[in-house]
Structures are given as structure tokens and as C-alpha cells.
Amino acid sequence: MVRHDHTLIGKAVSDDPATSTTFSTACCTASPPLAGLASWREMKSLEADMRRYMGERIRATVDALEHLVGGLSTAILAVAALLCLLVVFALSLGGAGIPLIPHALRAVRTAADRERGRLSRWGPEVFGAPPVPRRIGPALRDPAVRRELVWLPMHASLGLALGILGLTFPLTGLQSLTFPLWHRLVPPEEGGPGLVSWRIEDLGDAIAVSLLGAVMIGALFGAGQWLARLQAWPGRRLLTPAPGTDLSVRVAELTASRAAALDAHAAELRRIERSLHDGTQNRLVAVTVLLGAARRALTRDPAAGEELFDRAQRAAEEALDELRTVVRGILPPVLDDRGLAGALDGLVAGCALPCLLDVHLPARCAASVEATAYFLVAEALTNAVKHSGATTVAVTVVMDTRTRRLRLSVSDDGRGGADETGGSGLAGMRRRVEAYDGKFELTSPPGGPTTMNVELPCGS
């Protein structure tokens, strides 16, 4: 019936020219709002894409500047090592510097290792080289030493220049960009910021300097990442092991890491077994004995039997509490419920010392890594409370999303002097970290402060 009515209406409209014209005009006038809505949606989508693109470009440029400035620090070390090497070479011409050659090569190795560490933080890991041989002949024949000697002048020149450029270019660009706002404070004959040395007479000249600053900032956005890659290229090319190089050192490190993992696993099993045997099992045995005594006492002395039942109930509750403690020692349930940040927040809240917590975790790590980080912080806080005499503790946990590494630091203002052989659990903490192929560093000079730095791979 509805179809029939629509047919009649359609026929009536088509039969009447005036009605047909009016209907067609109405349809045509109704379509532009729909077209405008589609255009508005396209504009909003384009605007969102532009914002996303600009955000990515800004992050990439800031990241490139961090690379360049970080390379500047290692380039300064390379300059110092190069000067040391040249002095030793000059002395060796007269024979006095020959015994110093291995020491100079070790200085070069120190600078190269710092660059390897920097490159490993910003990208794929660059494996270190074996120690420099003590004798001059083997040291000079070492392929890693030869590659480092080629890298040294390149990084001391190109790396230094690019690092200085990455430090000064954005500052000069921002100064030039904002020059119209403060150009009246500068005498006209002194020119403008950076390379602008001509006379600045009026606002028009200042705007020209501002346009130059805009060009500099735009060039930085376009070429920043390329400059960072160019600065890192000599290290990526020359500080990595040559093809066919014997990686026995790395194999030995991984073998030791695997052995540490097995030792840590065995120690954890022994700890759990000891906790269950010495605590929970004894409580359950006591419950069994008390229940048997209570059952026998019920027929002779009901009051004594009730007292024994109460004691059995208390023993059962204590056994349950100890069992919960053992379970929390295996994997704290709060990690599943609240994540590492929430678990650390609860851990710090229960610390006997005032504790500052700074956590930045944009994503979750593997459960085993989070558990290890939690236990490391818990053990460090316990050591600070028991042994350090500190008044404050600071805990920092940060995830590097580029390298997928979790970095945590625990520091206190105590008396210092912490020793891994002193029985404070530091050796066990180191084994836990090395089991994940991580890094554990402890700095605790006499008089303090004590700082523990740990780095763990997030995906282990």
C-alpha cells in the first residue's frame, strides 16, 4: 500500500510540469548543505592530519637536536684523545713517547666506547671491542684499534662541527625570528643576531632578519635528522665489529648472562622452598597437632578443647598470611592490578623515609621485567632504611620508547660506603639485572650519596 501511494505521488509530480520543476528545484537546493557537510569533514580530517604531521616533525627535529648535542660531548672527548695521540706521536719520534703508545690507544678506546654507548642508546646496539693489548705491536695490529684510529679524526672534526651546528643553529634561528620584538634594544651599527652583520635601520630590516630566522628554522626541520645521521655515520661504520670479526667476547657475555639467569632462578626457587618449609609448613603442622589435641580434649575438658581450637584457628590464619607473603614475593598481584607505576606508588607510600617518586611509563613492559624492577626498588628502599642513615630517597623510573629500555635510579643522601660484598643484597640485585642482559651501576662513595642505576630491556 505504501509503495502504491509513492507511485501515485511520483506519477502526479511527473505529470504536472510546475510541480515537477518545483520538486526538482527543492531537491537541488537541499543538496548543497550535504555537500558542505562533507567538505567540512574533509577540512577537519585534513586539519587533524596536518596537526599530526607537525607533531611528528617537531618530535623528530627535537630528537635530532638531542642526537647532535649528545654527539658534541663525545666529539669533545675525541678531540682530547686526538691531541693526546698527536703528543705521544711527536714524543715517539725521539723515542720518549713509545712506552706511552698503549696508554694513548686506551684513551682513544675510552672515547670510542662513549660513542658506542651513545649510538646504542639512540638505535641498534653497537658492541664493544675487546681490551686493548698491553704490548705495542699487538695493539697496533688490532683491527678494532685501527678502525678507531680512522674514526677518531673524523668524529673530532665532522662530529664536532655538526654538534656545534646543532647547538647554535636553533638558538640563532629563534633569536633572528624574534628580532623584530627587541631590535630597538640593539644599536643599529651592531647588526642582528648570528651572521647578520649589516646595519639595522628600521623595522623593515628587522623583519628581513626575522624571515632569515624562519628560513633557518625551516631548514632545521628539513635537515635535522639528516645531520644527525651524518654525525653518527662514522661510528656506525667504523666502531662496529668488522665482518668476520670473532665475537667471542660478546658470546662470553651472553654465556655469563645465561649462567646468571640460571643462578638467579635457582636462588629464587631456594628462597621460595625455604619460606614454605620454615614458615608455612611449620604453621600447618602446628594446626594439625592442635586440631588433634582439641578433638581428644573435647571428651574430657570441653573448655580446654575450645581453647585449642582457637589456637589452631590463629595458627591457620598465620599460615595463610605467610603463604600470601610468599605469593607476593613470587609476583606481586598489585603489578597485574595497577601496573609498575601503581605498584611503585604503593611501595613508596609505605617507605619509612620521605621518598620522591618520578615515573614515566608510556607503555607496559614484560611482566618479568616489571617484577624485577619492583623487587629492585623494594630492596634498595630497604637498604636505605636499614643501612644508609638517609633522610630522603629519590626513585626515578623512565622508559625509553626508542630503544625499548627501562631505566630506574634510586638515590639517597645517606652516609654512603655501600659494598656489594657486605651482605646487603646488592650482589643478588646485580645477578638479577645481569640475568636480563641489563646494566647495574652502583655509586656510593664514603660520605654519600648512594645512587643505583639500572637499565633493563623492556621486552625480555
Side-chain angles (χ1 to χ4, degrees):
M1 184 66 182
V2 175
R3 183 185 298 176
H4 177 68
D5 290 342
H6 279 209
T7 304
L8 292 177
I9 292 173
K11 185 175 185 303
V13 170
S14 61
D15 289 344
D16 189 351
T19 307
S20 177
T21 303
T22 305
F23 183 77
S24 300
T25 304
C27 291
C28 293
T29 56
S31 57
L34 296 176
L37 180 61
S39 176
W40 178 80
R41 288 178 176 172
E42 291 177 359
M43 291 182 63
K44 295 297 288 183
S45 176
L46 181 61
E47 181 182 353
D49 292 340
M50 287 296 296
R51 283 200 303 267
R52 190 181 306 110
Y53 173 77
M54 289 302 298
E56 292 175 355
R57 293 306 306 169
I58 291 173
R59 284 192 294 270
T61 303
V62 172
D63 185 61
L65 291 177
E66 290 180 0
H67 288 204
L68 290 170
V69 175
L72 176 62
S73 63
T74 58
I76 293 173
L77 285 178
V79 171
L82 181 61
L83 292 176
C84 175
L85 191 65
L86 292 176
V87 170
V88 171
F89 176 75
L91 293 175
S92 298
L93 296 178
I98 293 179
L100 300 176
I101 291 178
H103 299 283
L105 295 179
R106 280 194 285 273
V108 175
R109 172 62 54 82
T110 300
D113 285 341
R114 291 294 296 272
E115 178 68 2
R116 288 187 179 98
R118 183 184 77 89
L119 296 177
S120 298
R121 287 193 299 271
W122 298 112
E125 184 176 0
V126 179
F127 299 129
V132 178
R134 294 184 177 275
R135 299 175 59 186
I136 297 176
L140 293 177
R141 289 193 297 269
D142 189 349
V145 171
R146 292 184 177 184
R147 292 166 72 87
E148 289 169 355
L149 291 176
V150 176
W151 163 84
L152 186 66
M154 296 178 65
H155 193 59
S157 55
L158 179 63
L160 182 67
L162 292 176
I164 294 174
L165 184 65
L167 182 64
T168 59
F169 206 74
L171 297 177
T172 304
L174 289 175
Q175 284 182 330
S176 301
L177 190 64
T178 60
F179 188 61
L181 302 177
W182 50 276
H183 75 283
R184 295 185 183 277
L185 303 177
V186 182
E189 61 274 6
E190 292 189 6
L195 300 177
V196 179
S197 58
W198 59 84
R199 186 180 179 88
I200 306 297
E201 296 287 352
D202 52 17
L203 181 61
D205 294 339
I207 292 176
V209 175
S210 178
L211 293 177
L212 179 61
V215 172
M216 294 174 67
I217 297 296
L220 189 63
F221 270 82
Q225 289 182 295
W226 182 82
L227 293 175
R229 286 194 293 267
L230 179 62
Q231 186 190 51
W233 177 80
R236 294 278 179 200
R237 182 76 175 176
L238 297 170
L239 297 184
T240 55
T245 301
D246 182 14
L247 296 179
S248 58
V249 174
R250 181 59 179 166
V251 172
E253 291 178 354
L254 294 176
T255 302
S257 174
R258 179 177 178 273
L262 294 175
D263 290 343
H265 178 67
E268 188 69 12
L269 289 179
R270 286 194 299 271
R271 183 189 66 82
I272 295 171
E273 189 274 335
R274 188 168 56 249
S275 299
L276 292 174
H277 181 273
D278 297 343
T280 308
Q281 178 176 288
N282 289 341
R283 300 290 183 187
L284 293 177
V285 170
V287 170
T288 303
V289 172
L290 288 171
L291 287 176
R295 186 176 59 183
R296 289 191 298 271
L298 280 177
T299 58
R300 300 190 305 269
D301 188 355
E306 264 199 51
E307 182 182 353
L308 290 173
F309 275 123
D310 292 338
R311 291 174 57 188
Q313 183 178 1
R314 288 194 297 270
E317 291 172 353
E318 291 173 357
L320 185 59
D321 290 338
E322 290 187 359
L323 188 58
R324 286 172 179 157
T325 302
V326 173
V327 171
R328 282 195 296 269
I330 299 172
L331 183 63
V334 69
L335 285 174
D336 284 335
D337 299 337
R338 302 170 59 189
L340 182 58
L344 292 179
D345 189 47
L347 192 62
V348 166
C351 182
L353 294 174
C355 190
L356 301 176
L357 178 64
D358 183 15
V359 179
H360 180 66
L361 298 174
R364 294 290 298 268
C365 294
S368 58
V369 175
E370 289 188 345
T372 299
Y374 178 85
F375 288 128
L376 289 173
V377 174
E379 185 71 18
L381 292 180
T382 301
N383 289 340
V385 172
K386 290 184 177 180
H387 309 295
S388 71
T391 58
T392 57
V393 183
V395 179
T396 303
V397 181
V398 178
M399 177 194 291
D400 190 337
T401 55
R402 290 182 296 270
T403 59
R404 292 290 298 168
R405 307 282 288 186
L406 182 70
R407 296 187 176 93
L408 65 91
S409 173
V410 182
S411 59
D412 64 65
D413 59 352
R415 66 177 67 94
D419 186 6
E420 293 189 33
T421 61
S424 58
L426 294 173
M429 296 165 70
R430 178 180 291 277
R431 286 194 298 270
R432 270 182 179 267
V433 174
E434 291 177 348
Y436 289 91
D437 199 19
K439 298 177 181 178
F440 180 92
E441 295 179 357
L442 180 69
T443 305
S444 184
T450 298
T451 302
M452 181 189 74
N453 293 314
V454 175
E455 185 175 314
L456 294 168
C458 293
S460 297

